[in-house]
Amino acid sequence: MDEALLRSLTPSVLAVLVRRGADFAAAEDAVQDALVEAVRVWPADRPRDPKGWLVTVAWRRFLDATRADAARRRREDLVEEEPAAGPTASVDDTLQLYFLCAHPSLTPSSAVALTLRAVGGLTTRQIAQAYLVPEATMAQRISRAKRTVSGVRLDRHGDVATVLRVLYLVFNEGYSGDVDLVAEAIRLTRQLAAQADHPEVAGLLALMLLHHARRAARTAPDGSLVPLAQQDRGLWDTTAIAEGVAILQAALARDRLGEFQAQAAIAALHADAPVAEETDWIQIVEWYDELARLTDSPVVRLNRAVAVGEADGPRAGLAALAELDDSLPRHTAVAAYLHERDGDLTKAARLYAEAARKAPDLAERDHLTRQAARLNTRRGG
């Protein structure tokens, strides 16, 4: 064994480790370990590049020692963090996670998408449908949001408006079938209402309660959808309706109107009608005008066209519908309904069948298919 060679190589090997980021003391220990290994191995198998061999072995020893030290310190930290024996308070930090994911470094739309995916548990497809964009587009948006927050500390909260939008989208996905998801959205919104003195938080809670009050009447025993006008209003939850209306009235009294309060006002007018024929469609159109002013949403304008068709007649509704892009989801279904109201059963049946092919879920597809079959049967009779 050429000890002189090892001694001559030691300073340069040590310098390499320091340049790679090792602190000097740890690098010295790693080089010493490598020298001991060289004394053991080289007599039987001397490497062709002694310095390269020493650098490789020393660097591996340094990394092993660093990982071992980090693991040891983490075990010590865990022991210190271990709670004292005895009962502990039950803490629900779900709402806190919603705020942390709605990080100020993200745009509101990206923050909503990331929170729905990471905390709300929605799939990329569900989120894309809620935003009316292709699934691939939404996947890219979520990926960009993850990259954006990967290098920042999640210690700055997002704003209430972003969290409200997330909660509303979670509720809507649950309202389409998963009752547990609805209950979770309402629970978290109640928590937020208790913490934040904000009229739009109250507006969202009122909206959720008023929609959820109709849950028992929304589907028939065979699972098929029941349109609002045909629902058995005796099945509606009057307690939830009363609570929702009271919360809404208190919020509106503060004269700080927002989109959730406007939507809740529309839901309250539906809930107030003892039968569908007594629905105050004129007021509903006025609230849709307010909502369109607040949001400029094409979906709001689509729903407004239906309300105009009820308040002023189907041709007025079709005129309002003609102002909208016919590629808008459910545009064809609304056109079918208004043409049926106008007496054009042939065109309505064709449009119902077309809308069924575009429907985003099986329940809606089946409903629209039955509507087309119903009109075809009437025309045949």
Side-chain angles (χ1 to χ4, degrees):
M1 168 60 61
D2 191 344
E3 295 183 7
L5 175 61
L6 290 176
R7 284 196 298 272
S8 67
L9 292 174
T10 296
S12 60
V13 173
L14 183 59
V16 170
L17 265 63
V18 172
R19 283 198 302 271
R20 289 185 178 183
D23 66 85
F24 190 81
E28 276 191 317
D29 290 341
V31 171
Q32 288 301 316
D33 287 345
L35 294 175
V36 170
E37 186 69 5
V39 170
R40 187 181 70 82
V41 172
W42 283 13
D45 186 17
R46 184 185 176 109
R48 276 181 272 183
D49 179 8
K51 179 181 176 180
W53 188 96
L54 285 170
V55 168
T56 299
V57 173
W59 184 248
R60 287 174 180 168
R61 293 301 172 90
F62 166 73
L63 292 178
D64 289 343
T66 300
R67 294 188 187 107
D69 185 58
R72 175 187 57 76
R73 282 188 276 110
R74 179 57 185 155
R75 287 194 297 271
E76 292 173 353
D77 290 342
L78 287 174
V79 170
E80 292 178 2
E81 294 168 5
E82 190 71 25
T88 58
S90 176
V91 177
D92 179 3
D93 58 0
T94 306
L95 191 58
Q96 179 81 351
L97 290 175
Y98 273 71
F99 272 97
L100 290 175
C101 284
H103 197 270
S105 64
L106 297 172
T107 63
S109 60
S110 294
V112 170
L114 177 62
T115 312
L116 289 172
R117 187 73 185 91
V119 186
L122 273 62
T123 66
T124 303
R125 176 173 295 179
Q126 288 172 315
I127 301 169
Q129 288 175 348
Y131 270 89
L132 309 180
V133 299
E135 185 176 353
T137 300
M138 183 53 65
Q140 292 175 353
R141 184 180 300 178
I142 293 171
S143 295
R144 285 196 300 270
K146 288 179 179 178
R147 286 196 298 272
T148 299
V149 300
S150 64
V152 300
R153 288 176 57 83
L154 294 179
D155 54 1
R156 296 169 58 205
H157 286 185
D159 64 351
V160 172
T162 300
V163 174
L164 288 178
R165 192 160 301 282
V166 174
L167 288 169
Y168 184 47
L169 289 173
V170 170
F171 175 84
N172 279 341
E173 289 302 325
Y175 192 60
S176 66
D178 186 342
V179 176
D180 289 339
L181 200 56
V182 165
E184 175 68 357
I186 293 175
R187 183 183 72 83
L188 292 173
T189 306
R190 284 191 188 278
Q191 282 189 8
L192 185 55
Q195 298 172 18
D197 183 21
H198 194 299
E200 273 293 81
V201 178
L204 178 58
L205 180 57
L207 176 62
M208 289 179 173
L209 291 170
L210 289 165
H211 276 318
H212 193 45
R214 302 198 298 257
R215 176 179 62 88
R218 289 186 69 247
T219 55
D222 63 359
S224 60
L225 293 178
V226 179
L228 177 60
Q230 299 170 22
Q231 289 179 13
D232 179 356
R233 300 184 178 216
L235 297 177
W236 288 3
D237 184 344
T238 55
T239 300
I241 290 173
E243 182 185 4
V245 168
I247 292 171
L248 172 63
Q249 288 174 338
L252 291 175
R254 301 178 64 176
D255 198 24
R256 289 169 55 193
L257 184 64
E259 62 177 291
F260 292 122
Q261 295 169 72
Q263 289 187 63
I266 293 169
L269 286 167
H270 282 297
D272 188 53
V275 293
E277 292 74 18
E278 296 182 23
T279 302
D280 190 342
W281 286 107
I282 294 176
Q283 272 206 72
I284 288 176
V285 171
E286 291 173 353
W287 275 111
Y288 270 122
D289 289 339
E290 288 285 350
L291 191 54
R293 180 182 60 81
L294 289 166
T295 67
D296 195 29
S297 163
V299 174
V300 168
R301 296 186 184 280
L302 182 69
N303 291 331
R304 179 186 177 278
V306 176
V308 169
E310 298 290 351
D312 301 327
R315 296 198 177 180
L318 286 167
L321 187 66
E323 299 174 1
L324 303 175
D325 186 346
D326 61 9
S327 66
L328 191 66
R330 297 187 173 88
H331 184 285
T332 307
V334 171
Y337 174 75
L338 291 172
H339 277 292
E340 180 185 355
R341 288 280 318 281
D342 195 39
D344 190 344
L345 302 189
T346 300
K347 188 169 186 178
R350 177 177 59 78
L351 288 171
Y352 274 130
E354 182 182 339
R357 292 191 293 271
K358 299 177 181 177
D361 58 65
L362 182 60
E364 186 171 343
R365 187 181 312 139
D366 288 347
H367 171 71
L368 293 168
T369 300
R370 281 194 295 271
Q371 296 296 89
R374 174 179 58 81
L375 293 188
N376 284 327
T377 300
R378 282 178 59 185
R379 291 189 302 115

